[in-house]
Amino acid sequence: MKNLKRQWKFIVVLITGAVGLISQFALHSKSLFSIGNLQFPVHAIIIDIIGILMAISLLLEIFHDWKTGRYGVDILAVIAVVSTILIGDVWAEWMILVMMTGGETLEDYATGQANKELRALLDKTPRIANKLVDGKITEVKVDDLQVGDTVLIKPGQQVPVDGQIVKGTSSFDQSSLTGESVPVTKNPGDELMSGSVNGDVAVEMKVTKAAKDSEYQSIVALVKSSQAQPAKFVKMADRYAIPFTVISLIIGGVAWAVSGDATRFAEVMVVASPCPLLIAAPVALVSGMSSMSAHHIIVKSGPTLEKLARAKTFAFDKTGTLTENQLIVDQVVTDDKSFDQKELQSLAASVEQQSSHVIASSLVKATDKDLIHPVTNLKETTAQGVEGDVDGKHVKVGKLSFVAPGHEKLNVTSTAVYVSVDGKFAGYITLKDKMRPESSKTIERLRRQGAEDIMMLTGDHKQVAEKVAKEAGITDVRSELLPSQKIQAIKDVPKHLRPVVMTGDGVNDAPSLTAADVGIAMGAKGATAASESADAVIMVNDISKVNDAVAISKHTMKVANIDVLTAIGVVIIIELIAFTGVIPAFWGAILQEVVDMITISLGLLAKTKPSDKQFGLEEK
């Protein structure tokens, strides 16, 4: 709503100028009245009324900012508008209003693309549940479920609320909640989290928590809470506000005192109008955002670039972020000299070829097609494994207790499937997350770009997380974390290591993305809760785009700072010239337009390519 009001201000000022021109030149407006030497024709009255209203509006915003401890350069704009009104230079006044409201509109354009953070998350919130009453299914609203109710969860359905299985065994995909890359088998008595997705077998669950207290709904609440308490951040232009304002007022005050003429103060204030300072950063930021878009990165607000440029800590989710959310064969270990590794993998993949389980499909995909043979007498035991006949051999693949009872003491810490042939334990195959090929280089480049701490935040098991972290080059590993613990890890980052950038892709990452100073989502697969909650979204399946985002941000802020300092320097020089009285207010406003054009031209340089050093391609 505030942005809409600011845009309307710009439109009103443009319309006022058009009406003023028509009144002055087409209708030859005459003065309605005069005060001393000041004449008040129709066009002057129209522009003065708008100028006074704008000045009042600005004053109200200034008072509000002062209450929150923010001091900007808007006070100079108010003084400039009031000064031009008092000396009767309406077109100088109008030009100040154009650049002032135009700068606000441009800034709004750079920062007004968000406000959609919760849509995807809320759209996926479970709303309907299959309640069992006397053996009959009744559809009810999730919010109406009570603790102790029994709910039927069909294959492929989302768990509506937290509960406990009372009947049935099935695998549940919890990757979007915990980051675990492999579905987890749940048996009677095991706990289920709302938001997890059932596999192939229907189960009955007893409700243990009401909807408002369940895991998925808690994630929604965490996102709202993180948005309600955004990190404090001072915009770049405001950092120069106080010294620039003080210098300008001193020059204007001394000019008035030396000349004894209040007009001299007004002339200095006109050229001191902060339009170039207000417009410098937004133009550079819009240019930077455009450059981001060309690199397949969508940035939702200008301040995101400011924070990214100064970021010192980078946090990454594991599954789907550093890894490709796909398992690959790690080791093939044989326990029977009758089989070599190639044959063992061939037998296991042949039996698994008709299974839709993620481990089975990953194993089949990792095996040469010529090694996958026909299978007969195929039989699947739910949540245990599969068995069948391949080339005259009876092969069982699955859990160790199913494949080879008595070998339970075998200690394998990785994700694994076990194999027996003709009733004899033959070995096992371990699988691991498939690393993105660019992950390790991304981490290395981030350090070159100035990252002081890089950490992994994941809900996956410690051993799996540490293996991935080692391969990626990350030493700070936090594993087995729930969403709330990820947020706490981000909040615990000390002040001297901020801003914090969090990169993730799952529903479980949404709260931590909003809690971080900058949240970056891997959104190549479409709109997710993560991408809706993030400050920036990478639209291609390439994590090295984080490096590009940092490089473009650093380049953009370098350009913006040069632009702002150049604007301040030029304006102060013009103020000193106006000090002598050789620049009338109208021409001072024209000079302001010239400075604005210089400012805009410099700001557009943010669209140029960053240096190799900013990209992290050069050694420090």
Side-chain angles (χ1 to χ4, degrees), residues 363-409:
L363 176 58
V364 171
K365 189 173 182 180
T367 304
D368 191 320
K369 291 182 179 179
D370 293 336
L371 296 177
I372 299 178
H373 304 150
V375 57
T376 58
N377 300 320
L378 186 66
K379 179 183 177 183
E380 181 169 0
T381 303
T382 303
Q384 295 296 320
V386 294
E387 56 185 302
D389 296 329
V390 179
D391 293 338
K393 302 179 181 68
H394 186 70
V395 183
K396 297 178 73 173
V397 182
K399 288 185 175 181
L400 188 58
S401 57
F402 168 73
V403 169
H407 286 71
E408 284 80 359
K409 292 183 179 181

Side-chain angles (χ1 to χ4, degrees), residues 10 65 140 152 160 235-236 298 339 400 435 512:
F10 181 57
D65 289 341
V140 299
L152 177 68
K235 292 192 295 184
M236 186 188 69
I298 304 301
F339 302 100
L400 188 58
M435 286 286 294
S512 51

Side-chain angles (χ1 to χ4, degrees), residues 405-424:
H407 286 71
E408 284 80 359
K409 292 183 179 181
L410 185 63
N411 184 23
V412 179
T413 58
S414 304
T415 300
V417 291
Y418 301 87
V419 185
S420 69
V421 179
D422 293 330
K424 184 178 180 181

Side-chain angles (χ1 to χ4, degrees), residues 127-131 137-142 145 151-152 160-161:
R127 291 182 172 84
I128 301 296
N130 297 315
K131 183 178 177 181
I137 299 176
T138 304
E139 286 194 351
V140 299
K141 293 181 179 180
V142 170
L145 289 174
V151 175
L152 177 68
V161 294

Side-chain angles (χ1 to χ4, degrees), residues 395-620:
V395 183
K396 297 178 73 173
V397 182
K399 288 185 175 181
L400 188 58
S401 57
F402 168 73
V403 169
H407 286 71
E408 284 80 359
K409 292 183 179 181
L410 185 63
N411 184 23
V412 179
T413 58
S414 304
T415 300
V417 291
Y418 301 87
V419 185
S420 69
V421 179
D422 293 330
K424 184 178 180 181
F425 180 62
Y428 59 90
I429 301 171
T430 64
L431 299 99
K432 64 178 182 178
D433 283 330
K434 183 180 181 181
M435 286 286 294
R436 292 181 183 273
E438 70 276 10
S439 289
S440 60
K441 289 185 179 180
T442 297
I443 302 304
E444 180 184 352
R445 286 174 59 192
L446 281 175
R447 291 196 172 96
R448 292 178 184 174
Q449 290 173 303
E452 296 184 22
D453 185 29
I454 300 176
M455 57 184 176
M456 176 196 290
L457 306 178
T458 179
D460 215 338
H461 300 296
K462 182 178 179 180
Q463 294 91 339
V464 176
E466 288 180 345
K467 284 184 179 180
V468 171
K470 183 178 181 180
E471 191 173 344
I474 298 175
T475 55
D476 187 355
V477 185
R478 322 283 179 89
S479 57
E480 301 179 13
L481 300 180
L482 291 174
S484 59
Q485 293 171 314
K486 287 187 179 184
I487 285 183
Q488 192 59 50
I490 291 172
K491 289 182 177 179
D492 288 342
V493 174
K495 187 175 181 180
H496 71 278
L497 289 178
R498 290 184 174 273
V500 180
V501 179
M502 172 68 189
T503 303
D505 77 314
V507 173
N508 64 304
D509 298 318
S512 51
L513 290 179
T514 53
D517 298 300
V518 176
I520 300 179
M522 300 294 293
K525 295 182 179 180
T528 65
S531 61
E532 293 293 339
S533 301
D535 301 295
V537 182
I538 296 173
M539 301 306 296
V540 292
N541 199 28
D542 184 356
I543 197 175
S544 70
K545 290 298 178 180
V546 174
N547 298 127
D548 294 351
V550 172
I552 294 169
S553 297
K554 287 181 179 293
H555 179 62
T556 298
M557 297 317 301
K558 181 180 179 180
V559 170
N561 275 287
I562 292 173
D563 200 1
V564 169
L565 291 173
T566 300
I568 289 175
V570 172
V571 168
I572 289 177
I573 291 172
I574 298 175
E575 287 179 18
L576 293 172
I577 297 174
F579 178 93
T580 65
V582 300
I583 304 179
F586 177 79
W587 288 105
I590 295 296
L591 284 174
Q592 273 279 315
E593 298 293 333
V594 174
V595 177
D596 289 340
M597 294 304 297
I598 294 173
T599 298
I600 291 172
S601 298
L602 285 175
L604 291 175
L605 291 176
K607 295 186 71 174
T608 59
K609 183 181 178 181
S611 66
D612 286 348
K613 184 176 181 180
Q614 288 170 324
F615 270 120
L617 298 175
E618 291 182 355
E619 295 285 353
K620 285 188 177 180

Side-chain angles (χ1 to χ4, degrees), residues 15-26 29 42-44 46-47 91:
I15 293 174
T16 300
V19 172
L21 284 172
I22 293 172
S23 173
Q24 181 175 3
F25 298 107
S29 64
V42 173
H43 72 278
I46 293 172
I47 294 175
W91 290 113

